Amino acid sequence: MSPVDRRLLIHMNWLLLGLAAVLFFVGVLNLYSASGFRMEDGMSVNSFYQKQLIWGLVGFGGMLTFMLFDYRHLKTLAWPLFWLTVLLLLAVPFAGKTIYGARRWLDLGFFNFQPSELAKITILVIGAKILSRDTEPLGFMKLGYVFAVGLLPAGMIILQPDLGSGLNALLILCGMILYRGLTSKVFKTMAVAVPCLIPLSWIFMHDYQKRRVISFMNPASDPLGSGYHIIQSEIAIGSGRLWGKGFLGGTQSQLRFLPEKHTDFAIAVFGEEWGFVGAMTVLSLFCVFLYQMVVTARDAKDLFGSYLAAGVFFYFFWQILINMGMVLGLMPVVGIPLPFISYGGSATVVNFCLIGLVLNVSMRRYVFKQG
């Protein structure tokens, strides 16, 4: 092994890799409890935890791929990746596959691919490329340009309709913009304009999205309909109390009162079975996990690498915040999974690929300095 290869391994953020592995296996354990045995059409089929293990292996391969190449090559690939993503999103309404009543996937034969997950990677890569051109705070012109680039794929996702993923993609870009900085004039204008514009989003919402917002403010208004998810989630978490009911002992989840227990509300299953102590342990792991990305962004030796790591940080930060917020009834239900804990093929692969990207930046922070 060459000296450079040894330096790459020595300077890699091993703690981040270890935390991702621990969180993934916590998620698989939780999925075993949520869906250990599954029947479809009277026949036993592979359960979600078994499929999640397979996606984890695919994701691990993707992570290694994202670690091995020099991440600076992404600057050249940013625009081709952007237009490829736009084409895939355009194909969804015409050739997409409908699952659970939503047309968001492309059937590739061996698995269903969700282009909105690729769009999140694309937005953070193109955002990093544009934002790393200089270090001056963004004025109105540059801010409008950056936001317009991100709004195209994000808007297409929202029109699928997938409000949660679309907003998540925009929030990643907004976080990267704040990381870059705004001029004081732009910041003051946005601080006044954004809160004023938020109520206008009500006009563009679908009826089911409006019902979710109403149920968020008053779940009891429709306890067996749009408020059912929040009410059952709060009951599950609350019944776990301090230490939980024990592994496979959750009544709300095992008796199928809790909906979407393997996807959006997976952490409610964990909270019921492992209690406040278990939930806080997972939250603490996520906090250290996010902090390692902040460290990588801070220590990166070029602006592009720093913005890539910051974009990945915001990718995970918003998903963790929104998922836990909606499970606890502090935010409307918008269909955002919890990274590594919720079941999802595309999401799991993308999660590991993005971890590989951050590890890539951390591995090369000293190689650049001496090269």
Side-chain angles (χ1 to χ4, degrees):
M1 183 178 289
S2 70
V4 173
D5 291 333
R6 282 198 296 273
R7 282 189 298 171
L8 291 177
L9 291 177
I10 289 171
H11 297 304
M12 190 174 76
N13 194 330
W14 288 95
L15 180 55
L16 177 64
L17 177 60
L19 287 166
V22 170
L23 287 166
F24 174 73
F25 283 107
V26 168
V28 171
L29 188 70
N30 194 53
L31 283 175
Y32 178 81
S33 177
S35 62
F37 181 74
R38 196 160 67 96
M39 297 286 291
E40 286 185 5
D41 299 326
M43 298 183 65
S44 175
V45 297
N46 287 338
S47 192
F48 292 111
Y49 82 94
Q50 294 170 308
K51 290 186 175 181
Q52 188 76 343
L53 280 171
I54 296 172
W55 290 125
L57 288 174
V58 176
F60 186 76
M63 185 184 72
L64 291 178
T65 304
F66 271 68
M67 286 169 53
L68 292 178
F69 68 90
D70 187 333
Y71 67 83
R72 290 176 295 179
H73 295 313
L74 284 174
K75 269 189 175 180
T76 307
L77 298 173
W79 282 111
L81 180 64
F82 177 83
W83 291 116
L84 173 65
T85 303
V86 170
L87 287 174
L88 290 173
L89 288 171
L90 278 174
V92 170
F94 304 102
K97 183 176 181 180
T98 302
I99 300 177
Y100 299 131
R103 188 187 293 268
R104 299 169 184 167
W105 291 264
L106 293 176
D107 188 354
L108 301 184
F110 56 97
F111 86 112
N112 298 316
F113 173 68
Q114 193 169 2
S116 60
E117 293 297 335
L118 175 64
K120 294 172 188 173
I121 296 180
T122 301
I123 284 178
L124 75 87
V125 171
I126 199 76
K129 177 182 175 68
I130 296 172
L131 293 171
S132 63
R133 287 174 180 166
D134 56 65
T135 58
E136 294 297 319
L138 294 173
F140 283 111
M141 291 293 290
K142 289 183 178 178
L143 176 64
Y145 173 62
V146 176
F147 202 72
V149 170
L151 191 59
L152 176 59
M156 295 171 72
I157 296 170
I158 292 173
L159 291 175
Q160 284 182 354
D162 188 353
L163 181 63
S165 296
L167 289 179
N168 186 220
L170 280 180
L171 287 172
I172 293 169
L173 189 61
C174 290
M176 295 173 71
I177 288 171
L178 290 176
Y179 182 67
R180 161 73 181 268
L182 301 169
T183 62
S184 61
K185 187 176 180 180
V186 172
F187 183 80
K188 291 175 183 175
T189 303
M190 298 298 291
V192 175
V194 171
C196 294
L197 291 173
I198 288 177
L200 294 178
S201 61
W202 183 264
I203 301 172
F204 303 101
M205 285 185 179
H206 292 268
D207 289 341
Y208 77 91
Q209 292 167 340
K210 292 178 180 177
R211 286 195 295 272
R212 287 180 176 180
V213 175
I214 294 171
S215 295
F216 158 65
M217 293 186 287
N218 182 19
S221 64
D222 189 10
L224 298 178
S226 54
Y228 184 77
H229 292 65
I230 295 176
I231 292 172
Q232 292 302 320
S233 175
E234 290 177 345
I235 292 173
I237 293 174
S239 65
R241 307 188 72 174
L242 184 61
W243 297 104
K245 297 176 179 175
F247 185 54
L248 300 175
T251 52
Q252 293 301 115
S253 54
Q254 299 301 326
L255 298 178
R256 302 187 177 184
F257 288 107
L258 182 67
E260 306 297 337
K261 59 184 181 180
H262 63 292
T263 53
D264 298 345
F265 289 85
I267 192 64
V269 177
F270 192 85
E272 183 182 24
E273 296 189 347
W274 299 91
F276 176 79
V277 173
M280 289 306 296
T281 301
V282 170
L283 183 60
S284 300
L285 289 173
F286 271 125
C287 288
V288 181
F289 173 78
L290 290 172
Y291 178 70
Q292 292 307 307
M293 295 180 195
V294 174
V295 169
T296 302
R298 180 197 65 191
D299 294 343
K301 293 305 179 187
D302 69 330
L303 285 175
F304 183 63
S306 181
Y307 282 109
L308 282 179
V312 177
F313 165 83
F314 285 110
Y315 169 87
F316 284 107
F317 172 77
W318 290 120
Q319 289 196 71
I320 295 166
L321 180 71
I322 294 173
N323 180 273
M324 289 197 170
M326 73 179 195
V327 168
L328 292 170
L330 302 175
M331 290 185 181
V333 177
V334 291
I336 295 286
L338 186 61
F340 300 115
I341 304 298
S342 298
Y343 171 77
S346 300
T348 300
V349 174
V350 169
N351 289 342
F352 275 110
C353 288
L354 290 178
I355 293 299
L357 193 56
V358 177
L359 294 177
N360 192 331
V361 175
S362 71
M363 289 162 66
R364 290 171 170 81
R365 65 189 189 278
Y366 292 115
V367 175
F368 286 177
K369 186 176 181 179
Q370 298 179 17

